[in-house]
Amino acid sequence: MLPVSQQDLIEPLGPDVLGNGNHRTAGVSSESQRRGIHTHYSAPIPPPPFSQVRRPAPTHGHEDVVSAATSIVSLTSNTVLRTRRALSKAAVPFGALITPLPDLTAQSLPLLQRSPAACSACGAYMNAHCKVLMKEDKWLCSFCHQQNAVDIGVQDLRSAAELRVEAVDYIQQDMTGQPVNQTAETLAILVDTTAAASELQAAKTLLKQLLQQLPRAWRLMLLTFSSAVSVYQLGHNDLVTADVVSGEWQPAVTSSKQQQHAALPFHHPEALHVASLHSCQGAAENIIDSWRSLGTTRASREQPRCLGSALAVALQLLAASTQGGAGKADSYGSDSLPVPQACRPSRVLLVTTGPATKGPGRVPLSNLDRGQGPDDPQAAKQAEQFFVRLAEQAGRAGVAVDIVAVGQAAVNAPLLGPLAQKTGGLISTHQRFDELSGAGLASALMRRQGIEGFLDIHTSTGLGVTHVTGPITPLDRTNLSSNSMQRHNKPTMNACEMVSVETGQAVAVGLEVSRDLQGDYAFLQVVLSWRSLQGGWLQRVVSRRMSTTGSLQSLTTGTNWSTAAVLAGKHWLRQAQACGAVQNRRAAQHLRKQIGQHVSQLVSQAGGGPSTWGPLTWLAPPPPAVLPPYLHSFVQVMYQLQRGPMLGDVAGHADERALLHARFLAASSPAALLMMAPALYFFSPATAAFQQVPALDLALRPGDTVVLDCGNQIFTRTGPAIEPEATSIHPKIEAFLGQLMHNRVPAPGVLRLHQDSPDVRYLATRLMPTYGDSPEEQQQQYPALLNLRPEQAPASQQHLLPTDEPSFNQWARSLRINPTGAVDNIMEAMQSMSVTNELNRSSEDKPKDLQCNAVEV
């Protein structure tokens, strides 16, 4: 490295700008080249000394950019402990939540029509925390301190946007030369017709609403399945015609010597089975109206349902139809599905009311009823291999599979989950079709904003990435020479691919101090890139800085406990999938015990341990640790997580837990918080508006109208004497639901209940029980009880359901935690982690106006 003059250095964004401390010098330990998760360390290169330099006048108008950087990459804290041992002992979640597409305004990020400047040693990009040598026209990498020439075509470095803000977008021409147009997407709708007549009629109404909401240029394909697969021809407006495929049809038959291909009984899918929506709207509605229920008395789960064959046929047709008239597609049984053209992304919408009971992918129904594992492991293994093969081939072809399961029958979600996850789709479950809306389903289908996504993470020396969780797949390093991979400069071992880039998804990144940090700051850079559906190749670079400290109090008081709760929840869900807790109740019980132990360790360390402990009491057991107020929200979310449907016994079947796991691991922060700790709203007749109240069973009083937002599902409950369609409260409920679901993709299902409905139990089980708490504790948790007259107090206890489930206070005491006195009002803790304010009320200090790094020397 060449010697650096102190007067030639341009200071990066300082602590007074980013709100990270009072020191203006920053020496950061780094490495010459980022090695990845399994790091081999070399001696750190000390940063060159530099002195304070004068700054130009503040540049205004970048506060939105700063807020966008924290929205895209939300750190658990802007502070990190210097030593590995101290951080491990503290038990504080440490990591970041990456949201590729947060809710940003059009002017939130600078958009540069050029390539970013990359470090020649480690591959990290020039950012706001780099130091710049004005005279030599070079910049120093904040990760490895390598000097790099400025080759971005900017004459004056003071005008470089990446040196002024933490988040920047780069847009470049697509290397493939093929424009990506979302309006030309091909959608294959697969519908299970084994449903009851009433449910099938509701499904037909829903699908016709969906077709009216989709872009007119989308291309459509309609299929139904029961004991066989019907593929409908869309070229006839007055005649319903379908080609039928056997429900036992196998996409490929593998023998010991060769692989034989099973061809479909028809050959021209482009002309017959696929048509643009604007030309086949009438024909599609006539086809939907022609569907009839089987009319049998067999249970829904026992109906003949060739789900696997239907998916295989749909993928075969999509592969052929997206060749743009290039001729007959290759057989589906080959190792690789024909890759569709980039201008025609494809998607499958599978609507089913039960599991696969016929053809490939079927498993015995007895497998779905066992809580300790499958009854027929061989059949389960064969079915799993079949769907995994479909998922891999569909993923390579760019076909996303969305699955909507409706009804009481289990659909074997652990089997179908990987199919949706690996293809960039979603899987959701609903009790009835009326929980869904055509507009919400259309917004879910149009949520994709990019394809061929890429994610990479650069860290300072001493910081390591422990895991990356979310809608990602491992990076295919054998394909780095392809057109799309050539965009990425020296990917680290943390690099991974994103099947698709969609609204409402997030990636959780776990961090660790793998080596004691030597400098005052540590850095994290996240690189996101994808092919935009609006055209061009987009790269989004976000660089964050963390102050190092030796004080545990500085870490705990400055932690963003909302982000920490989401990261902790996704960590425990990963553990649940690894140990088989989805289907094994004993494993789930052991995992809930581990969550309690972790919470106990966190409170004992961060809370300062017992409040009263003297030398004369050393023979007695230590008193419970006092729960500090700033930890109350986090501990309460962990209590809701371990008792809720994802890990507890609230969900009645393994299907529901598996679906929630897949949805939760890909969810962004607001939705993930709601899935762990729902938000309850009470309609106040005095104000004629809804107001948030603690999610306790005390709030579920007879005659009240409440709304419970569980993230992926919303419950509404009205009193027994209220007819929603005939009263003035119904429009207010619908208006409030519209506010809750605004810009939420995919939109949650809505289950409307009356007080006397048997399904109210689903709502009641999501509320925290207080049956075992004393009246004083109940009043502390639900302050509205203080307004009751003495003769009204006993009536408030009568509607509480007796339960053996411990309340929050009882659970905390079982962990030797004293929860009393932690908060005077539980609403204060709840509002501190409110979803509506989650992105705005962060513990990360909001920076002041950013200043340019460059000065005249």
Side-chain angles (χ1 to χ4, degrees), residues 491-502:
T492 69
M493 294 301 296
N494 305 320
C496 53
E497 296 183 58
M498 304 178 67
V499 179
S500 62
V501 181
E502 302 174 353

Side-chain angles (χ1 to χ4, degrees), residues 309-548:
S309 294
L311 279 170
V313 170
L315 292 176
Q316 168 84 343
L317 294 176
L318 285 173
S321 65
T322 52
Q323 295 305 305
K328 182 180 177 181
D330 295 338
S331 299
Y332 183 78
S334 58
D335 292 336
S336 60
L337 198 64
V339 178
Q341 296 179 3
C343 61
R344 288 184 177 180
S346 305
R347 185 175 290 274
V348 171
L349 174 62
L350 172 64
V351 181
T352 182
T353 59
T357 57
K358 182 179 180 180
R362 66 170 294 274
V363 295
L365 295 178
S366 58
N367 281 19
L368 306 180
D369 299 328
R370 290 178 57 85
Q372 305 297 330
D375 187 45
D376 188 349
Q378 182 64 24
K381 182 178 180 181
Q382 292 178 354
E384 180 182 4
Q385 292 174 349
F386 172 79
F387 282 108
V388 167
R389 185 167 64 251
L390 286 186
E392 292 174 350
Q393 294 172 337
R396 289 194 297 265
V399 180
V401 180
D402 288 327
I403 302 173
V404 177
V406 181
Q408 300 290 339
V411 297
N412 204 348
L415 197 63
L416 297 177
L419 176 65
Q421 182 179 4
K422 293 182 180 180
T423 60
L426 284 177
I427 179 170
S428 60
T429 179
H430 307 273
Q431 296 290 333
R432 299 186 296 268
F433 279 101
D434 57 12
E435 297 181 26
L436 299 166
S437 66
L441 199 55
S443 64
L445 293 174
M446 294 186 293
R447 68 186 182 274
R448 181 162 54 180
Q449 301 297 318
I451 58 176
E452 299 181 19
F454 174 83
L455 168 65
D456 202 357
I457 304 168
H458 296 268
T459 60
S460 297
T461 300
L463 286 184
V465 176
T466 59
H467 63 271
V468 182
T469 305
I472 59 171
T473 57
L475 179 65
D476 184 8
R477 298 186 178 272
T478 62
N479 196 31
L480 294 180
S481 60
S482 64
N483 287 338
S484 60
M485 288 295 107
Q486 288 178 6
R487 292 286 187 184
H488 313 306
N489 183 68
K490 295 183 178 180
T492 69
M493 294 301 296
N494 305 320
C496 53
E497 296 183 58
M498 304 178 67
V499 179
S500 62
V501 181
E502 302 174 353
T503 304
Q505 65 180 191
V507 177
V509 179
L511 299 176
E512 67 173 352
V513 176
S514 55
R515 183 181 182 183
D516 292 353
L517 303 175
Q518 303 298 326
D520 294 332
Y521 299 100
F523 299 96
L524 174 76
Q525 184 177 86
V526 175
V527 180
L528 295 159
S529 62
W530 62 85
R531 289 180 60 196
S532 173
L533 296 184
Q534 285 70 39
W537 187 270
L538 184 68
Q539 285 184 290
R540 177 163 288 177
V541 180
V542 181
S543 305
R544 302 298 309 276
R545 182 174 66 182
M546 296 167 281
S547 302
T548 60

Side-chain angles (χ1 to χ4, degrees), residues 10 44 58 68 107-108 294 459 599 689 795:
I10 305 305
Q107 295 78 22
S108 291
L294 296 180
T459 60
V599 169

Side-chain angles (χ1 to χ4, degrees), residues 508-832:
V509 179
L511 299 176
E512 67 173 352
V513 176
S514 55
R515 183 181 182 183
D516 292 353
L517 303 175
Q518 303 298 326
D520 294 332
Y521 299 100
F523 299 96
L524 174 76
Q525 184 177 86
V526 175
V527 180
L528 295 159
S529 62
W530 62 85
R531 289 180 60 196
S532 173
L533 296 184
Q534 285 70 39
W537 187 270
L538 184 68
Q539 285 184 290
R540 177 163 288 177
V541 180
V542 181
S543 305
R544 302 298 309 276
R545 182 174 66 182
M546 296 167 281
S547 302
T548 60
T549 181
S551 170
L552 178 60
Q553 183 179 5
S554 300
L555 175 66
T556 55
T557 56
T559 296
N560 181 348
W561 291 106
S562 298
T563 302
V566 174
L567 289 179
K570 295 195 176 189
H571 165 75
W572 292 117
L573 262 294
R574 286 178 60 251
Q575 296 296 322
Q577 291 183 337
C579 68
V582 176
Q583 295 180 315
N584 193 317
R585 293 185 177 181
R586 290 184 179 179
Q589 184 177 5
H590 179 68
L591 191 64
R592 292 195 293 270
K593 183 178 179 181
Q594 288 183 322
I595 294 176
Q597 293 173 348
H598 180 267
V599 169
S600 178
Q601 180 185 1
L602 173 63
V603 174
S604 63
Q605 294 293 326
S611 57
T612 57
W613 185 248
L616 300 179
T617 60
W618 64 274
L619 291 178
V626 176
L627 179 61
Y630 60 83
L631 274 179
H632 190 278
S633 299
F634 177 85
V635 175
Q636 190 179 80
V637 171
M638 292 298 102
Y639 165 74
Q640 286 279 59
L641 172 65
Q642 61 88 31
R643 69 168 292 270
M646 287 187 287
L647 293 178
D649 296 327
V650 173
H653 199 276
D655 256 15
E656 299 180 50
R657 287 189 290 272
L659 293 173
L660 288 173
H661 287 191
R663 186 79 170 267
F664 177 78
L665 291 176
S668 58
S669 181
L673 279 175
L674 286 172
M675 293 178 71
M676 290 188 292
L680 182 65
Y681 301 91
F682 160 75
F683 181 79
S684 174
T687 60
F690 283 91
Q691 59 186 17
Q692 189 173 1
V693 295
L696 303 168
D697 55 1
L698 288 168
L700 201 63
R701 296 179 296 182
D704 289 344
T705 298
V706 297
V707 175
L708 183 67
D709 189 352
C710 300
N712 65 318
Q713 191 174 38
I714 298 179
F715 296 90
T716 65
R717 195 213 68 167
T718 55
I722 296 178
E723 295 293 338
E725 293 79 10
T727 60
S728 60
I729 196 175
H730 178 64
K732 296 178 181 178
I733 294 177
E734 297 302 320
F736 184 68
L737 291 177
Q739 297 176 10
L740 290 180
M741 294 189 294
H742 180 65
N743 287 338
R744 286 170 65 172
V745 177
V750 179
L751 185 59
R752 297 171 175 84
L753 306 172
H754 291 276
Q755 177 176 308
D756 299 330
S757 171
D759 291 339
V760 171
R761 66 184 187 277
Y762 295 111
L763 186 154
T765 54
R766 295 305 310 271
L767 301 177
M768 292 189 295
T770 59
Y771 179 77
D773 290 342
S774 64
E776 293 77 12
E777 291 174 337
Q778 292 178 353
Q779 292 175 358
Q780 183 187 28
Q781 297 176 79
Y782 195 65
L785 297 177
L786 298 173
N787 300 327
L788 299 179
R789 294 189 299 271
E791 61 272 13
Q792 294 176 326
S796 64
Q797 305 290 327
Q798 294 179 357
H799 71 278
L800 296 181
L801 297 177
T803 176
D804 295 333
E805 183 182 6
S807 66
F808 171 72
N809 289 335
Q810 292 172 329
W811 178 76
R813 292 191 183 98
S814 69
L815 303 176
R816 303 198 60 77
I817 297 174
N818 181 13
T820 59
V823 286
D824 295 330
N825 188 342
I826 198 173
M827 282 299 299
E828 298 177 3
M830 183 176 59
Q831 291 174 355
S832 68

